[in-house]
């Protein structure tokens, strides 16, 4: 009698040549290293700073920290650090995190008066037994670690906030208040991958609101064997789908970085079939072989990529 065991034997035997022929073998997506990729074309100077580390054979984590610090200190960037728009009560509150090639991470949430939350997040990772510090505790830790208090509410932000108070209409505009993060992924010459994500969050948010950016697995995720992903856009939707973790898991399942990002934004639209035009979320992803990609819900999302071919702004494909 032809048993189930026989069937499995012949099936498996039959599969071997198929897998050698490449049909079952997962496709390998490769690029070059070193490489750095960041959300939004506003990250050109940030990428230059990161590249100054990577091009000298430096460490990916140093590169992403140095890179995103450029935007944290840029008063013209209204969605990150100094010059970031405040919450509806006039407080600039910052969220940031880092994750390294070992899968270690550090994060700060609702941090006030610190120019470089990303550096505080890195210190949480390296100098504490914890992964996340929030609010007053995060600030206390920053001060004890030697960071100086600074006023981050610029005159321009104050003016914009006063104007918002006239109507108090909370309706984040696509690709404006909504493009509220710099996320950066880097792979260095030695193959170490790291990421950073930093933001002042959604403009005019409720006091106490924390977005996706400092939440490991939502705003940023790195798997040392697979690669990393970062998110930008409406943080609440990224949190509800554990977006960056999803992207990395899709790469693990054999998808290209771009396909993985597309699946993650599709997941958001599946949850919001009647609000396709009202939400912007975008992801970028980089695998440990240097292949990268991105995808967004709406048009208008781009990334800055820097590698040995130079630096370029890459518009990303979109869903709606
Ligand atoms: N994506 C950043 C935030 O929603 O705060």
């Amino acid at each position: 009698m032809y048993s189930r065991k026989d069937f499995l034997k012949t099936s498996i035997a039959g599969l071997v040549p198929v897998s050698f022929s490449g049909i079952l073998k997962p496709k390998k997506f490769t690029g070059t290293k070193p490489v750095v990729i960041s959300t939004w074309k506003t990250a050109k100077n940030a990428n230059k700073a990161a590249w100054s580390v990577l091009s000298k054979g430096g460490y990916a984590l140093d590169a992403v920290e140095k890179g995103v610090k450029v935007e944290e200190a840029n008063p013209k960037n209204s969605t990150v650090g100094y010059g970031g728009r405040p919450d509806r009560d006039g407080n600039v509150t910052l969220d940031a995190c880092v994750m390294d090639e070992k899968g270690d991470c550090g994060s700060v949430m609702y941090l006030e008066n610190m120019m470089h939350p990303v550096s505080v997040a890195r210190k949480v990772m390296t100098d504490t037994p914890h992964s996340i510090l929030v609010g007053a505790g995060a600030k206390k830790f920053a001060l004890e670690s030697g960071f100086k208090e600074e006023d981050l509410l610029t005159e321009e932000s104050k003016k914009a906030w006063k104007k918002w108070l006239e109507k108090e209409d909370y309706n984040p505009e696509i690709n404006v208040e909504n493009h509220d993060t710099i996320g950066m992924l880097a792979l260095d010459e030695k193959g170490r991958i790291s990421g950073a994500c930093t933001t002042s969050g959604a403009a005019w948010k409720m006091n106490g609101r924390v977005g996706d950016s400092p939440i490991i697995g939502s705003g940023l995720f790195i798997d040392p064997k697979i690669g990393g992903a970062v998110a930008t856009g409406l943080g609440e939707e990224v949190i509800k789908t554990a977006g960056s973790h999803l992207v990395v898991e899709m790469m693990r399942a054999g998808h290209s970085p771009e396909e993985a990002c597309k699946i993650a934004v599709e997941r958001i639209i599946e949850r919001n079939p009647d609000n396709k035009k009202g939400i912007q979320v975008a992801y970028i992803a980089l695998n440990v072989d240097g292949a990268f990609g991105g995808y967004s819900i709406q048009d208008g999302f781009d990334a800055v990529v820097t590698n040995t071919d130079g630096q370029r702004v890459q518009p990303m494909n979109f869903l709606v």
Side-chain angles (χ1 to χ4, degrees):
M1 208 177 87
Y2 189 74
S3 69
R4 185 170 172 274
K5 214 161 142 197
D6 293 329
F7 170 73
L8 284 176
K9 261 192 229 157
T10 47
S11 303
I12 289 164
L15 283 179
V16 173
V18 176
S19 74
F20 280 128
S21 76
I23 293 171
L24 288 182
K25 215 165 127 193
K27 194 168 181 291
K28 208 166 155 61
F29 300 97
T30 54
T32 58
K33 56 179 197 264
V35 58
V36 55
I37 177 166
S38 302
T39 53
W40 305 104
K41 59 172 160 288
T42 42
K44 285 179 200 151
N45 290 334
N47 264 39
K48 275 186 199 150
W51 188 247
S52 73
V53 176
L54 295 174
S55 60
K56 294 189 193 86
Y59 181 25
L61 184 62
D62 292 335
V64 294
E65 182 186 3
K66 187 167 180 180
V68 302
K69 278 172 80 173
V70 170
E71 286 310 304
E72 286 182 339
N74 176 7
K76 298 239 172 312
N77 189 329
S78 61
T79 59
V80 179
Y82 181 50
R85 296 298 184 247
D87 65 18
R88 56 189 65 177
D89 300 333
N91 311 294
V92 180
T93 67
L94 306 178
D95 300 334
C97 70
V98 294
M99 201 159 179
D100 71 10
E101 80 287 357
K102 299 185 287 297
D104 286 334
C105 59
S107 161
V108 288
M109 304 180 184
Y110 196 95
L111 179 63
E112 290 183 276
N113 301 106
M114 293 293 152
M115 183 71 81
H116 292 300
V118 71
S119 300
V120 184
R122 184 173 177 175
K123 279 222 171 288
V124 171
M125 176 174 84
T126 55
D127 296 9
T128 80
H130 307 305
S131 299
I132 304 173
L133 291 177
V134 305
K139 187 168 170 181
K140 181 168 175 268
F141 169 71
L143 291 170
E144 284 166 3
S145 303
F147 293 91
K148 299 268 168 303
E149 246 185 297
E150 287 173 83
D151 184 4
L152 303 179
L153 186 67
T154 59
E155 278 311 310
E156 209 176 322
S157 281
K158 213 181 283 175
K159 239 191 260 166
W161 171 52
K162 294 248 162 80
K163 191 160 174 10
W164 181 79
L165 284 176
E166 287 167 15
K167 288 200 182 135
E168 295 199 14
D169 178 22
Y170 185 69
N171 195 9
E173 203 182 320
I174 294 288
N175 291 347
V176 183
E177 281 101 350
N178 228 342
H179 94 254
D180 38 25
T181 316
I182 176 167
M184 184 180 274
L185 300 165
L187 180 68
D188 65 28
E189 219 170 73
K190 294 194 173 126
R192 294 169 297 192
I193 187 167
S194 294
C197 194
T198 177
T199 185
S200 49
W204 335 128
K205 61 194 173 186
M206 287 174 70
N207 180 242
R209 182 260 190 193
V210 169
D212 60 305
S213 301
I215 299 178
I216 301 300
S218 290
L220 169 68
F221 194 70
I222 303 278
D223 183 298
K225 288 203 181 104
I226 306 295
V230 279
T232 178
L234 188 61
E236 282 72 7
E237 289 301 324
V238 178
I239 292 168
K240 287 170 195 168
T241 48
S244 291
H245 184 257
L246 175 60
V247 173
V248 172
E249 288 308 303
M250 289 301 104
M251 291 198 287
R252 190 196 306 277
H255 294 283
S256 71
E258 185 189 37
E259 286 162 1
C261 293
K262 184 173 184 223
I263 291 166
V265 297
E266 279 169 348
R267 193 69 63 88
I268 293 172
I269 288 307
E270 276 163 28
R271 289 181 19 82
N272 296 278
D274 303 327
N275 192 17
K276 290 194 177 116
K277 295 256 175 229
I279 300 170
Q280 175 64 311
V281 168
Y283 295 99
I284 54 171
L286 172 67
N287 75 14
V288 288
D289 295 310
F292 58 83
Y295 219 90
S296 61
I297 298 178
Q298 316 290 338
D299 192 7
F301 174 61
D302 39 36
V304 186
V305 182
T306 313
N307 57 16
T308 45
D309 295 335
Q311 180 159 299
R312 66 184 184 282
V313 172
Q314 186 156 321
M316 293 298 177
N317 287 324
F318 55 97
L319 212 57
V320 181

